[in-house]
Amino acid sequence: MTRPMTRRTFIVLGGSAAATAATLGTPTWATAAPTVARARLSADPFTLGVASGEPMPDSVVLWTRLAPDPLDGGGMPDRRVPVRWQVATDDRFRHVVRSGTASAAPEWGHSVHVDARGLRSDREYYYRFRADDYLSPVGRTRTAPEAGRRHSHLRWAFASCQNFQDGFYTPHDHLAGEDLAFVAFLGDYIYESLPNPTAVRTHEGTDEPYSLLNYRNRHAQYRTDPSLQAAHAAHPWVVTWDDHEVDNNWADDIPQDPDQQTPEEFRARRIAAFQAYWEHMPLRRRNQPVGPDLQLYRRLEFGDLVSLSVLDTRQYRSDQVETEQEAWDPSRSMTGDAQERWLMGGLRRSDARWNVLANQVMWAQNDRKVGPERVFDFDNWDGYRAQRKRLLTRFADVRNPLIMTGDRHATWACDLKPDFDDEASPVVGAEITGSSISSGGNPNVEAFHETYDPIMAESPHWKFIDNQRGYVVLDADRDRIEAELKVVETVIEPTSPMKTYARFVVEDGVPGITVVDEAARPAAPLYDADRRFIPGPNGPVRLDRGQSYLRD
Ligand code: FE
Ligand code: CA
């Protein structure tokens, strides 16, 4: 079992580089980097923290980026800089098990992506970097259990959508303190939107990002957030993107507004956005972009318990349509043919107990209008209906499929069916669409339920809905996955309490999802007219298994 790391622990461990060096000492570092005469770094380059990701049984990616001046291109000299790294079994680095020197290159933003190999499976490790005399904060990470080997328990979390302007990352403070094997981040890591001077916090720059420099500055601004740094430093992350890492609702080579960006301009923008994304994420070198392409869909295995298929539903998708009829065009694809073959082949062959997808936009049909008239967001799988039906039909042959979804800035626990309009269509899996870290700001809970409760009554595959900010923790053993929706009270203050608001269960061999218990609906509005939280009696209430408040 891992020891939960609180944010406070990381402040103590991390602190400023100088303080860390003073308290930890540096007895285990090799004495000198190559003695080439050159200027030393004149300011702490570790302003963006550290991260790890892509846990495998024997290796994990260690990340940092040298950026003494993070919001203005990084502020590094135009040369390669050696960065030493260490992996230890203890947070004081008395037992260093792997170490080396990476080269931070200016053409990759002085980012560092170390594939630390030769590690033991299912183990906790600590890591840090050193550049010149500067020591990075300390990160904790964890390798995966041996692939295919019998494994009985895994606990992880997923999160998405962290618009910097919509709020502070109060959920990340709590995420940093969870006991997890990994965090899956499902997209909208940054938002490309314009700076809004009246927002809770304001985006850097003067425009949407278009150039590599612009996207680097935007990523760097997000990464300076101490709560986000703590969540990265506490767990390995498995990341994928949605649209806002590039441009709202982009699809393959088509931008949101083709009248305002020529194909050449959008191609250059996509190249810049992809490069900055790779530079800032704990991804392997094999995921480094090549021109306008970045291979992001991939699969990670956690023993014989969980197989995690990470999707990319942006880079290869058909452009959005306007009508339900167009959405049934069988040539339309969310994934592209190659990714569809990879996904379904892997799912069908998988021996894992749980086949989990890290996905961006909702699969479950989500009508936005009460009554017989139907309104859909065709950016979701609702706009790719023929492919969705084809894949969900084949889910019947997949063992325990569970889709984790972002994008919606709300929580939607759903049963999945090949045909959501046909009552006789079988339930073939479950989807949890999970809230947002900050996007949407503090929610208007009353208005949300006024709109969606009546639609939920017409949507029997919806089992639970909620629009508070937070994340979802999943705890899997061989018989069931128990999911907890954790929500904060506010994102417009720098810190917030958090509570478990609902629990869901997926049982081995039983397609679909069950709401186990959920918080009582508040009698009074949770938020006042200024969207400030009003404390009230809204603790958890246990309901009978299978019961949902809208079905009473
Ligand atoms: Fe979003
Ligand atoms: Ca309707």
Side-chain angles (χ1 to χ4, degrees):
M1 275 291 79
T2 56
R3 183 161 57 88
M5 297 293 290
T6 63
R7 183 172 168 202
R8 184 178 161 75
T9 314
F10 275 98
I11 291 165
V12 172
L13 287 174
S16 74
T20 311
T23 50
L24 290 181
T26 56
T28 56
W29 292 102
T31 26
T35 51
V36 179
R38 65 162 95 88
R40 314 283 292 173
L41 299 176
S42 56
D44 180 6
F46 294 110
T47 59
L48 306 182
V50 299
S52 71
E54 304 295 289
M56 293 179 63
D58 62 347
S59 71
V60 69
V61 174
L62 311 177
W63 174 94
T64 192
R65 180 184 163 220
L66 308 181
D69 190 4
L71 301 194
D72 191 14
M76 286 293 289
D78 187 25
R79 60 172 169 84
R80 289 177 161 263
V81 172
V83 180
R84 285 184 282 166
W85 57 271
Q86 291 179 321
V87 176
T89 53
D90 65 304
D91 61 16
R92 295 267 152 178
F93 293 83
R94 295 201 175 96
H95 305 285
V96 173
V97 294
R98 287 286 179 273
S99 61
T101 302
S103 182
E107 60 269 32
W108 294 100
H110 289 98
S111 62
V112 175
H113 300 73
V114 171
D115 193 353
R117 294 166 186 245
L119 305 177
R120 300 179 68 187
S121 62
D122 200 21
R123 291 288 196 288
E124 182 176 68
Y125 290 101
Y126 296 84
Y127 62 94
R128 63 182 178 182
F129 301 92
R130 182 172 178 166
D132 282 354
D133 294 330
Y134 294 97
L135 265 185
S136 76
V138 171
R140 187 206 73 104
T141 190
R142 192 171 181 89
T143 51
E146 212 169 300
R149 170 92 52 98
R150 187 182 167 88
H151 196 71
S152 56
H153 178 237
L154 194 78
R155 185 176 167 84
W156 73 96
F158 74 90
S160 68
C161 296
Q162 51 187 18
N163 193 326
F164 189 85
Q165 298 195 132
D166 283 2
F168 296 96
Y169 297 155
T170 55
H172 279 316
D173 290 339
H174 299 273
L175 190 62
E178 300 275 1
D179 178 10
L180 303 172
F182 66 91
V183 171
F185 197 87
L186 307 180
D188 291 358
Y189 190 96
I190 59 162
Y191 283 71
E192 87 291 15
S193 45
L194 289 169
N196 172 7
T198 65
V200 178
R201 304 193 283 184
T202 300
H203 276 150
E204 55 70 47
T206 56
D207 198 352
E208 290 187 14
Y210 292 94
S211 69
L212 178 57
L213 175 66
N214 296 159
Y215 279 105
R216 279 178 177 160
N217 289 344
R218 188 59 61 90
H219 272 281
Q221 182 183 36
Y222 277 58
R223 212 49 163 272
T224 53
D225 181 277
S227 306
L228 178 58
Q229 287 192 8
H232 271 297
H235 314 289
W237 283 37
V238 176
V239 300
T240 186
W241 57 32
D242 192 22
D243 53 338
H244 289 286
E245 284 85 351
V246 180
D247 185 26
N248 183 40
N249 282 359
W250 69 283
D252 193 356
D253 49 6
I254 299 163
Q256 173 183 24
D257 42 16
D259 338 334
Q260 288 168 52
Q261 301 176 65
T262 67
E264 296 72 31
E265 283 166 345
F266 185 67
R267 182 183 156 91
R269 188 181 194 184
R270 171 173 145 163
I271 290 171
F274 279 18
Q275 178 168 344
Y277 184 79
W278 184 83
E279 287 173 353
H280 288 84
M281 294 298 137
L283 289 166
R284 286 201 161 75
R285 184 125 330 157
R286 75 168 73 116
N287 305 109
Q288 207 172 45
V290 179
D293 303 311
L294 190 158
Q295 167 70 44
L296 198 56
Y297 66 83
R298 61 204 187 278
R299 190 168 283 121
L300 293 93
E301 309 283 352
F302 297 85
D304 68 347
L305 194 65
V306 171
S307 175
L308 177 66
S309 297
V310 183
L311 300 192
D312 174 355
T313 57
R314 286 290 159 194
Q315 194 174 173
Y316 316 101
R317 71 152 79 188
S318 315
D319 197 17
Q320 290 87 350
V321 292
E322 315 256 298
T323 68
E324 216 177 311
Q325 196 176 356
E326 293 172 293
W328 278 108
D329 176 352
S331 72
R332 296 177 47 65
S333 178
M334 186 66 107
T335 58
D337 292 342
Q339 184 175 195
E340 179 176 331
R341 279 195 304 276
W342 163 85
L343 174 65
M344 295 315 295
L347 290 178
R348 209 177 53 248
R349 283 191 304 272
S350 171
D351 292 325
R353 180 64 52 112
W354 306 101
N355 286 288
V356 180
L357 272 61
N359 165 66
Q360 292 79 29
V361 293
M362 268 182 81
W363 284 60
Q365 181 162 284
N366 54 126
D367 184 9
R368 314 286 170 112
K369 182 130 183 144
V370 71
E373 194 192 336
R374 289 147 58 106
V375 172
F376 295 107
D377 179 351
F378 291 114
D379 185 66
N380 291 359
W381 282 84
D382 278 331
Y384 302 76
R385 287 166 176 261
Q387 187 191 22
R388 177 174 68 185
K389 186 170 188 176
R390 182 165 74 236
L391 299 189
L392 288 178
T393 300
R394 294 168 66 193
F395 268 35
D397 301 326
V398 177
R399 187 167 195 185
N400 297 325
L402 171 64
I403 301 182
M404 310 186 295
T405 296
D407 174 64
R408 194 70 161 82
H409 307 174
T411 302
W412 240 268
C414 297
D415 286 347
L416 293 174
K417 306 164 71 157
D419 186 343
F420 293 99
D421 294 323
D422 177 4
E423 271 182 44
S425 186
V427 176
V428 295
E431 178 180 40
I432 304 174
T433 298
S435 187
S436 71
I437 292 294
S438 62
S439 301
N442 279 354
N444 186 333
V445 174
E446 288 290 293
F448 174 81
H449 283 287
E450 258 173 52
T451 302
Y452 283 103
D453 285 1
I455 307 174
M456 182 156 168
E458 301 170 350
S459 306
H461 60 286
W462 296 4
K463 302 302 176 185
F464 175 90
I465 56 173
D466 179 73
N467 71 333
Q468 297 173 84
R469 306 281 80 80
Y471 55 80
V472 176
V473 175
L474 296 107
D475 195 289
D477 63 21
R478 300 188 76 80
D479 300 322
R480 65 184 56 78
I481 293 180
E482 189 168 311
E484 287 185 307
L485 169 64
K486 296 192 163 188
V487 299
V488 290
E489 291 179 357
T490 181
V491 295
I492 63 173
E493 310 289 342
T495 62
S496 170
M498 171 169 264
K499 67 184 172 208
T500 296
Y501 194 74
R503 287 192 179 83
F504 320 114
V505 165
V506 181
E507 309 250 18
D508 176 34
V510 185
I513 192 160
T514 305
V515 181
V516 178
D517 62 4
E518 63 185 87
R521 293 284 300 285
L526 275 172
Y527 295 88
D528 65 18
D530 296 326
R531 292 192 163 198
R532 292 195 175 272
F533 184 74
I534 304 168
N538 52 353
V541 168
R542 178 158 285 275
L543 300 181
D544 291 332
R545 176 166 290 211
Q547 203 179 350
S548 169
Y549 61 89
L550 281 164
R551 299 179 138 200
D552 292 347

